Amino acid sequence: LINGDLTAYFGVPGVKNATEYELVKVGNDPAVTAPASVDFGLAKIGGTASKDVTISGSDLTDDLTVSIEGNGFSCETTTIAKDGAENAVLNVVFAPTEGGDYAGTLTISGGGLAEAVTIALTGKAVAFEGEGSKENPYTVADVMKLQNPNKAYWVKGVIVGLINGKSISDGSIFDLSSAETISNSNLLLAAEAGVTDPALCVPVQLPVGDIRTALNLSDNPANLGRELLINGDLTAYFGVPGVKNA
């Protein structure tokens, strides 16, 4: 943008005797699109959890720099090439060493950005007794701590009762001899035999088929007090952490 006399210059219409000018950028400013936050949820102390974080850079003038602040979080990628930033994936790892809440920040800078882009990182570390495998299954206490990850794991516990009705607090049955009816669709697991507090139990759904036939207390009262090892989705059941789709 320039201010000057419109007059002949080099034999053609031109601009001479300029008195003012302003350089105007052509095109868009460099930009990076990224999620505002990434939550790792619960992780085991001493274990690791990872998540892929996708970012998209546009109109960059140089490579991007990636850095992380905050205990427990790391990312092997430290530079994103300008030409590869349109759809870049960063693998961020959460590796807590002690229990508690964790917070960190992933920062993307450089590339001509006017301001760095930041992503808030959060996670919580707790101690689990098991790992969710058949060889080292989660315990009842673990299931409660995990708060419904909606994934399939192995769980072990002692069969202590069942639920009649729609509420674990009001419908839990621990003494089969006193029950007028006994549901065949679910069980209650606890850490040990003899538990009669619903708050200490995890409900287990028994799907129609071999699992229900073999485990339900209506047809198999002798199962009461036995330890059960079962694989299913850790998800909400009767409004509390439970096991479904075994």
Side-chain angles (χ1 to χ4, degrees):
L1 183 64
I2 194 166
N3 185 321
D5 296 335
L6 302 187
T7 186
Y9 190 36
F10 287 100
V12 295
V15 181
K16 296 175 67 174
N17 305 317
T19 57
E20 296 178 281
Y21 75 90
E22 181 179 336
L23 290 174
V24 180
K25 179 179 175 61
V26 178
N28 298 319
D29 292 331
V32 166
T33 302
S37 62
V38 176
D39 181 25
F40 287 82
L42 290 176
K44 182 178 181 180
I45 297 172
T48 61
S50 66
K51 286 199 173 186
D52 288 336
V53 180
T54 302
I55 71 149
S56 179
S58 58
D59 300 297
L60 300 175
T61 60
D62 203 349
D63 297 343
L64 295 170
T65 298
V66 179
S67 61
I68 281 187
E69 294 181 353
N71 292 333
F73 300 101
S74 63
C75 179
E76 289 189 357
T77 302
T78 57
T79 302
I80 302 173
K82 177 182 68 172
D83 296 334
E86 184 175 351
N87 188 34
V89 178
L90 303 173
N91 184 253
V92 182
V93 176
F94 176 43
T97 56
E98 57 185 30
D101 294 317
Y102 285 72
T105 304
L106 186 153
T107 301
I108 302 168
S109 58
L113 296 173
E115 294 183 357
V117 174
T118 59
I119 303 172
L121 306 175
T122 54
K124 184 173 184 177
V126 295
F128 293 115
E129 298 176 50
E131 296 179 348
S133 64
K134 187 174 184 179
E135 297 73 21
N136 189 15
Y138 283 133
T139 64
V140 168
D142 291 338
V143 174
M144 294 178 178
K145 290 178 183 177
L146 282 163
Q147 289 292 311
N148 310 325
N150 297 313
K151 293 182 180 180
Y153 293 102
W154 284 92
V155 176
K156 72 174 180 179
V158 177
I159 300 173
V160 296
L162 64 130
I163 301 171
N164 274 338
K166 299 181 179 180
S167 169
I168 187 172
S169 58
D170 299 329
S172 294
I173 303 296
F174 300 99
D175 181 2
L176 302 185
S177 64
S178 65
E180 295 182 4
T181 60
I182 298 177
S183 173
N184 68 352
S185 65
N186 68 82
L187 297 172
L188 286 173
L189 295 186
E192 58 186 4
V195 171
T196 59
D197 184 351
L200 301 178
C201 299
V202 165
V204 178
Q205 179 193 59
L206 300 178
V208 175
D210 292 342
I211 290 178
R212 177 176 292 188
T213 300
L215 297 180
N216 83 85
L217 291 175
S218 178
D219 299 319
N220 308 280
N223 284 345
L224 190 70
R226 290 181 174 176
E227 185 173 83
L228 174 66
L229 179 64
I230 193 165
N231 182 283
D233 295 336
L234 303 192
T235 188
Y237 189 36
F238 287 98
V240 298
V243 181
K244 297 178 70 174
N245 307 316

